[in-house]
C-alpha cells in the first residue's frame, strides 16, 4: 500500500526511469552541445522528481494531472538553465524550480487573488524603497517607506507580504565551489521531538569532534543560531561554517 500515491493519467509511474547523477551530468553536457535526444532523455529520466514534488500538493484538492504537467514545465526550465560547472546536484537545483512553477500556477489560478490596488501599492512601496536607498545609501525602514508614500505602515506591510512568493528551504542562495548554502542553512534551528538529532546521543558523539566543530554544532543546534551568526562569532566565513558543520554531521551520523 502506498501513502499519498499519485496517479497520473496516461503515465505509468511505476515504470518511470531513474538516472544516476553521473548519467545526468553527461546528458547535461550533451544538451549544452545541442543534443535534442539527450534533452528528451534528461526530461524523461527526471519525471520521478516531478512526481515526488507533486506528492507534496496531494491534499489541496487540485487536479494532479495538471500539477504534474506544470511541474514538467519547471523541470524543463531547470534543465535549460542548470549550470553543471557549479558542482551542485541537479535535484538540488531542480526541486525548487519545480515547486516554484507549481506555486506560481496555484497562485495565478487561486480564487483568492491579490487585489489590483494592493499589488499597485506594493510596487509603489518598492519604488519608494529604491528611491530612499539611492537618496540615503542605506536600507530604509517600513516606517520611512510609509512616510515617503504618505500611507500607514500597516498598509505597506500588508501590500508587500501579499506579493511575496514562498521560498523552498532547499533554495540555493550561495555556492563557493562545492560548498552550497541553502535557505535552510540561514535559518536558526529550533529543535523538535521529530528532529533526527536526539540531544543526549549527539552530545555524546560530539565528544570525539574537534573543539571548533563542537562549538559550531553547539551554537547551531542547541543555541539555535544561523550559520551567518556562527560565522561572525567564530571569525570565519559562512562557507567554512557550512563545510565544517556538514562534515561534523556526516561523522556523527556514522557513529551514533
Amino acid at each position: 500500500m502506498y501513502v499519498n500515491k499519485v496517479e497520473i493519467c496516461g503515465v505509468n509511474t511505476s515504470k518511470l526511469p531513474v538516472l544516476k547523477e553521473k548519467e545526468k551530468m553527461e546528458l547535461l553536457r550533451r544538451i549544452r552541445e545541442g543534443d535534442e535526444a539527450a534533452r528528451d532523455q534528461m526530461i524523461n529520466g527526471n519525471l520521478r522528481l516531478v512526481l515526488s514534488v507533486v506528492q507534496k500538493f496531494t491534499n489541496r484538492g487540485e487536479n494532479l494531472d495538471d500539477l504534474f504537467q506544470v511541474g514538467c514545465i519547471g523541470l524543463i526550465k531547470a534543465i535549460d538553465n542548470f549550470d553543471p560547472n557549479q558542482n551542485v546536484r541537479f535535484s538540488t537545483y531542480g526541486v525548487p524550480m519545480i515547486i516554484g512553477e507549481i506555486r506560481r500556477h496555484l497562485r495565478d489560478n487561486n480564487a483568492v487573488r491579490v487585489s489590483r490596488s494592493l499589488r499597485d501599492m506594493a510596487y509603489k512601496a518598492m519604488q519608494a524603497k529604491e528611491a530612499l536607498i539611492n537618496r540615503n545609501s542605506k536600507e530604509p525602514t517600513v516606517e520611512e517607506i510609509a512616510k515617503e508614500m504618505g500611507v500607514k505602515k500597516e498598509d505597506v506591510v500588508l501590500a508587500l507580504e501579499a506579493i511575496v512568493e514562498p521560498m523552498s528551504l532547499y533554495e540555493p542562495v550561495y555556492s563557493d565551489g562545492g560548498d552550497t548554502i541553502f535557505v535552510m542553512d540561514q535559518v536558526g534551528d529550533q529543535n523538535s521531538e521529530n528532529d533526527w538529532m536526539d540531544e543526549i546521543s549527539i552530545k555524546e558523539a560530539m565528544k570525539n569532534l574537534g573543539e571548533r566543530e563542537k562549538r559550531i554544532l553547539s551554537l547551531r543546534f542547541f543555541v539555535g543560531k544561523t550559520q551567518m551568526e556562527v560565522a561572525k562569532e567564530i571569525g570565519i566565513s559562512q562557507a567554512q561554517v557550512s563545510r565544517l558543520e556538514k562534515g561534523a554531521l556526516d561523522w556523527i551520523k556514522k557513529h551514533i
Side-chain angles (χ1 to χ4, degrees):
M1 180 177 179
Y2 296 95
V3 178
N4 289 335
K5 183 179 179 183
V6 178
E7 298 289 347
I8 303 298
C9 181
V11 178
N12 187 340
T13 57
S14 65
K15 293 187 177 181
L16 289 175
V18 178
L19 296 173
K20 295 180 179 179
E21 196 63 24
K22 287 185 179 179
E23 293 174 321
K24 294 177 185 178
M25 292 301 111
E26 173 60 22
L27 287 172
L28 287 165
R29 182 190 64 77
R30 288 166 51 192
I31 291 170
R32 295 298 172 270
E33 296 174 353
D35 190 332
E36 288 297 326
R39 187 170 182 269
D40 291 341
Q41 189 176 347
M42 184 68 179
I43 293 170
N44 291 328
N46 282 280
L47 292 180
R48 277 186 180 271
L49 191 62
V50 178
L51 191 65
S52 67
V53 172
V54 170
Q55 288 177 325
K56 302 176 186 296
F57 298 87
T58 53
N59 297 321
R60 298 197 178 194
E62 299 290 333
N63 185 300
L64 296 181
D65 289 337
D66 291 345
L67 294 187
F68 184 76
Q69 291 180 33
V70 172
C72 287
I73 294 174
L75 170 64
I76 292 170
K77 288 182 178 180
I79 291 172
D80 290 343
N81 291 284
F82 182 73
D83 182 1
N85 297 321
Q86 291 299 317
N87 196 26
V88 177
R89 291 174 63 88
F90 175 75
S91 58
T92 300
Y93 179 80
V95 167
M97 291 285 283
I98 296 168
I99 291 176
E101 197 68 31
I102 292 176
R103 281 180 174 158
R104 275 190 291 275
H105 168 79
L106 294 175
R107 180 194 64 201
D108 293 343
N109 291 276
N110 198 315
V112 181
R113 295 177 181 271
V114 178
S115 70
R116 180 62 183 271
S117 60
L118 202 58
R119 190 178 294 273
D120 287 345
M121 178 174 287
Y123 291 140
K124 288 178 181 177
M126 289 187 287
Q127 291 172 348
K129 178 181 177 181
E130 187 70 23
L132 287 167
I133 291 175
N134 292 334
R135 188 187 311 156
N136 303 320
S137 300
K138 66 176 184 178
E139 191 82 10
T141 64
V142 175
E143 288 84 355
E144 290 172 334
I145 295 173
K147 184 177 179 181
E148 179 79 4
M149 296 173 62
V151 299
K152 295 180 181 179
K153 178 184 70 174
E154 293 78 8
D155 293 339
V156 173
V157 173
L158 181 62
L160 291 175
E161 286 184 348
I163 64 168
V164 172
E165 184 175 346
M167 179 180 287
S168 167
L169 286 175
Y170 294 94
E171 182 84 27
V173 295
Y174 174 78
S175 180
D176 179 15
D179 299 310
T180 301
I181 295 172
F182 304 95
V183 171
M184 66 184 299
D185 294 327
Q186 297 185 313
V187 179
D189 182 27
Q190 304 298 323
N191 286 327
S192 67
E193 60 183 6
N194 295 322
D195 202 329
W196 71 269
M197 289 183 297
D198 176 79
E199 185 169 333
I200 296 177
S201 60
I202 192 173
K203 282 185 175 179
E204 187 66 28
M206 281 173 60
K207 291 180 180 179
N208 296 309
L209 294 174
E211 289 303 315
R212 187 160 63 170
E213 285 82 356
K214 286 180 185 177
R215 189 177 178 194
I216 289 173
L217 293 189
S218 178
L219 291 171
R220 282 281 286 142
F221 299 105
F222 299 134
V223 179
K225 292 195 173 186
T226 68
Q227 285 189 347
M228 184 64 74
E229 291 170 335
V230 173
K232 288 181 179 179
E233 182 163 331
I234 295 180
I236 59 178
S237 70
Q238 185 180 348
Q240 287 177 298
V241 171
S242 176
R243 185 188 310 116
L244 291 169
E245 176 187 316
K246 289 173 183 175
L249 291 177
D250 286 342
W251 188 92
I252 288 175
K253 288 177 184 178
K254 292 177 182 178
H255 293 83
I256 284 183

